[in-house]
Amino acid sequence: VTILKEKNLCIVAVNYRLHPNVNAPEYIKDAAAAVAWVFKNIASFGGNNNAIFVAGYSAGGYLAKMITLDKSWLNAHHIDANKIAGTISMSGHTITHFTIRKEQGIDGLQATVDAYAPLYHVRNDAPPLLLITGDRELELLGRYEENAYFARMMKLAGHTKTKLYELDGFDHNMTYPAMPLMLKEIEKIKQMLNTNL
């Protein structure tokens, strides 16, 4: 968190209800409600609702991608997901999250791509996407490979603003070395937004 201080950012840290207390899609709805709240309220805290970035780690990275790519979640709050300035997913699933697969009785090694998978919602007009994972040999259950496939599908769909980084030598707990990459991308997109305003 120290690295995020004094960066001229308004940071809103949110939480969501967890399995087994709730099942899908409740936690996706929670993520969408939190982002919608930011859009509707950040100006009163000195923020700019034209420069809202959505970021998350692990399940949070999955949720960030879901509400960015499947526009229905934010549409329920009268927010266009394309208003998100950029989405940063640190070690987040791109296939259906293993918790949802568990809820459906599907084994953790059985990959599934359904409406609960960011990969299902690949589209060329999505906001910029930054994907960061740990080392493919140290990460969880093919996390790098699924993000690499997702990045390739976004490119083939015509999305030109998807970036993928693999942090060699780091396992799933790679948030600290990922932070400078996230901040660099946010700054780059903010400069681009300022140029276009």
Side-chain angles (χ1 to χ4, degrees):
V1 175
T2 305
I3 196 169
L4 298 177
K5 291 182 178 178
E6 299 175 4
K7 297 293 182 184
N8 197 28
L9 300 170
C10 290
I11 299 170
V12 181
V14 302
N15 214 333
Y16 53 90
R17 292 169 291 168
L18 301 173
H19 174 88
N21 296 323
V22 297
N23 290 337
E26 297 309 306
Y27 28 81
I28 304 172
K29 290 180 181 177
D30 290 351
V35 171
W37 183 93
V38 173
F39 269 101
K40 294 172 182 176
N41 293 280
I42 199 64
S44 65
F45 293 92
N48 179 353
N49 68 358
N50 292 313
I52 293 174
F53 293 81
V54 178
Y57 161 68
S58 197
Y62 160 80
L63 292 171
K65 285 194 291 266
M66 277 300 297
I67 64 170
T68 298
L69 293 163
D70 180 355
K71 296 180 81 172
S72 68
W73 301 109
L74 284 172
N75 280 347
H77 299 274
H78 310 290
I79 303 289
D80 180 357
N82 284 4
K83 298 285 187 184
I84 295 170
T87 297
I88 300 99
S89 172
M90 293 175 272
S91 197
H93 271 304
T94 67
I95 60 175
T96 303
H97 195 278
F98 64 74
T99 300
I100 297 174
R101 284 180 277 149
K102 179 180 177 183
E103 292 169 4
Q104 297 171 346
I106 299 171
D107 183 78
L109 292 177
Q110 175 63 55
T112 303
V113 176
D114 60 16
Y116 290 127
L119 187 54
Y120 186 85
H121 302 282
V122 164
R123 57 189 179 88
N124 65 1
D125 64 335
L129 291 162
L130 177 61
L131 313 170
I132 309 172
T133 74
D135 190 311
R136 68 189 75 186
E137 298 301 331
L138 302 173
E139 261 285 10
L140 296 178
L141 298 173
R143 193 62 55 90
Y144 166 77
E145 289 82 0
E146 67 177 271
N147 275 272
Y149 182 73
F150 172 78
R152 181 66 178 160
M153 292 301 103
M154 289 295 288
K155 181 178 181 179
L156 291 175
H159 190 266
T160 61
K161 297 176 183 170
T162 299
K163 291 183 183 175
L164 170 65
Y165 291 102
E166 175 187 11
L167 301 180
D168 290 346
F170 291 92
D171 61 15
H172 187 64
N173 298 310
M174 38 54 77
T175 54
Y176 182 77
M179 289 293 173
L181 292 171
M182 179 182 79
L183 290 171
K184 182 179 178 182
E185 187 69 9
I186 288 172
E187 194 55 41
K188 181 179 175 184
I189 293 171
K190 279 173 54 182
Q191 288 175 5
M192 184 181 67
L193 288 171
N194 290 337
T195 301
N196 293 333
L197 290 178

